[in-house]
Every structure is written in C-alpha cells, then in structure tokens.
Amino acid sequence: SKKYNGTELTKDEAGIEGLIEGEDVAVHATGSITNPGSETNSYEIVWDGVNPENYEISEELGTLTVTKPQITLTAKSGTGTYQGYPFRYEDIIIDKSDVDDMYIDISYSIEGEQLDVGSSSNTITSYQITDSGGNDVTSCFNVDTVKGTLTVTPATLTVTTGSAEKEYDGEPLTCDEASVTGFVGDDNGTVTATGSITDEGSEKNTYTISWDAGTKSSNYTISENLGTLTVFIEE
C-alpha cells in the first residue's frame, strides 16, 4: 500500500507451489493501481512446456491499496476598521504536509464579508486540485475546510466644540461652534454644541450628534476635543 502520488502501485512478488517433480513454470504479478482504492494483485503464468489442464489453480492473492492523503484548507481570519463597504479577506492556509512526492495546484473560492462592526464567518465554498498535467485529481484526496472569522472594528470620529468666556452677568454662556470629522463612505451626521454655564466657574462645551438615515452610531467610536465655557467675576 501507499499514499496516492499519481504514480502506479505494483508489487512484483509472486510464487507458485504444487508443481510435480520435473515441471516448472514462471508466474508474474500483474496487478496495478494508481488512484485511491484497492485492487487484487493479479498474475499470469507462463506454461513453458507444461500442460495447464493438468492443474487446478488455488489462489492466495495479495491486495494493492492506495490511500488518500490529507489536505486541510483554512480560510484566514482578518480584522479591518469600518470603512463603509464590506470587508473581505481571501487568503487561505494550505496544509499539504501529508502529500508525498507530487506536484499539485489548488484553486478555491471563498465567501465572506462583514460590513458593520462585528464578526462573521469566512468560508471556503469550493476547491479543485489539479496535478502537473492539469488533470482534476480532487477526488484522490481527503480535504477538510476550516472557517475563518472576519472582524470589523469601529472607525473613529473626532468631535470638536468651541470655547468661550465672559464676566458673570446672570445670563447663560454658550458657544455653538461644533464640528465632526471622520465619517466614511456615505455616512454623515450633524454635531450640535449643547454646553451652557451661568454661574462663575468652568464647564466642558458638550454636544449631541444627529445621525443621518443609514448611518449607524455603533460603527464609530468618538474622540472628543471639547472646548471650555468659563464665567468669571472681576474683583
């Protein structure tokens, strides 16, 4: 027996017993198998000067067995930042360490995409194995496929609000300067400064974001560059 490698398996070991004294014949093993499976090791007898009708043949025939090598195809896992269109990763890892003395080429198709923040499977959906002659030998191998994982992490928005100060006059101090950068693709939104302070002291100029239709807040993390509102009293 042997693992499949595209070449013929034979075993030329053959013998014969039971001939009467003075008679001799030659026996040759003729069995052959290339693809995975099992075949009986057949034979031929050369009856040189011996009448075969004088004998009844009892056979003890060996078996020729070709086994399938193991190949494992693993879809790689990948991580990308949210970009407004689907993240894909088409690389795979091919483990053919069980394949002996044979050139093979492996083509494959892979399906998987992740648009929003989160994770999903990256899956090998089909494959084909060809030998050096371009022949399809996929059926001659045991093939396992392993899924990968696609992960999308949030993009970063930077929100900036303005600063202002004034002397205490009993009226609220506000500053409506506000901007946001970092939206990707067709995403968008509006930032509004909401900070207010009336009494003496300082407060961060807070904000709210109004997300446009189709824009998901979960696809973003917020980096803040907030201004300060300060009310003072002259001594």
Side-chain angles (χ1 to χ4, degrees):
S1 67
K2 72 170 185 178
K3 285 185 288 189
Y4 172 77
N5 67 354
T7 62
E8 216 174 42
L9 171 64
T10 60
K11 180 70 171 180
D12 60 5
E13 185 179 299
I16 190 169
E17 297 177 349
L19 293 166
I20 65 171
E21 186 176 353
E23 293 191 336
D24 193 19
V25 299
V27 60
H28 306 288
T30 58
S32 171
I33 183 172
T34 300
N35 292 334
S38 293
E39 296 283 348
T40 298
N41 195 2
S42 53
Y43 64 95
E44 65 176 4
I45 299 174
V46 180
W47 302 90
D48 189 8
V50 177
N51 185 355
E53 294 182 0
N54 290 329
Y55 293 93
E56 182 178 60
I57 306 298
S58 173
E59 298 175 333
E60 293 181 5
L61 304 183
T63 301
L64 304 176
T65 300
V66 174
T67 60
K68 294 183 177 184
Q70 178 68 44
I71 294 176
T72 301
L73 308 178
T74 301
K76 283 188 177 181
S77 297
T79 300
T81 302
Y82 173 71
Q83 51 199 351
Y85 54 85
F87 172 66
R88 298 180 178 90
Y89 197 62
E90 298 185 350
D91 287 349
I92 71 169
I93 300 170
I94 300 175
D95 181 358
K96 53 181 181 179
S97 56
D98 194 43
V99 179
D100 294 337
D101 301 325
M102 182 183 186
Y103 170 85
I104 58 172
D105 181 67
I106 301 175
S107 58
Y108 62 90
S109 296
I110 190 167
E111 289 185 3
E113 62 178 42
Q114 182 67 25
L115 171 61
D116 295 320
V117 169
S119 297
S120 60
S121 294
N122 201 24
T123 305
I124 298 169
T125 55
S126 65
Y127 52 84
Q128 184 182 54
I129 304 171
T130 53
D131 62 16
S132 58
N135 303 300
D136 185 348
V137 292
T138 307
S139 62
C140 295
F141 298 85
N142 288 321
V143 181
D144 287 337
T145 59
V146 180
K147 293 180 179 180
T149 301
L150 301 177
T151 301
V152 171
T153 59
T156 300
L157 293 180
T158 300
V159 173
T160 302
T161 58
S163 297
E165 65 177 13
K166 72 171 183 176
E167 187 176 0
Y168 173 75
D169 61 3
E171 297 295 328
L173 171 64
T174 62
C175 179
D176 61 5
E177 293 177 13
S179 64
V180 58
T181 59
F183 281 113
V184 297
D186 295 328
D187 288 355
N188 212 339
T190 303
V191 62
T192 303
T194 58
S196 175
I197 184 173
T198 301
D199 295 331
E200 180 187 18
S202 294
E203 296 285 348
K204 291 291 185 183
N205 193 3
T206 55
Y207 64 93
T208 59
I209 298 178
S210 175
W211 304 89
D212 284 5
T215 301
K216 298 180 180 179
S217 60
S218 57
N219 286 328
Y220 294 92
T221 57
I222 308 298
S223 174
E224 298 178 333
N225 182 22
L226 303 184
T228 302
L229 303 176
T230 302
V231 173
F232 61 90
I233 298 175
E234 289 284 1
E235 296 183 359

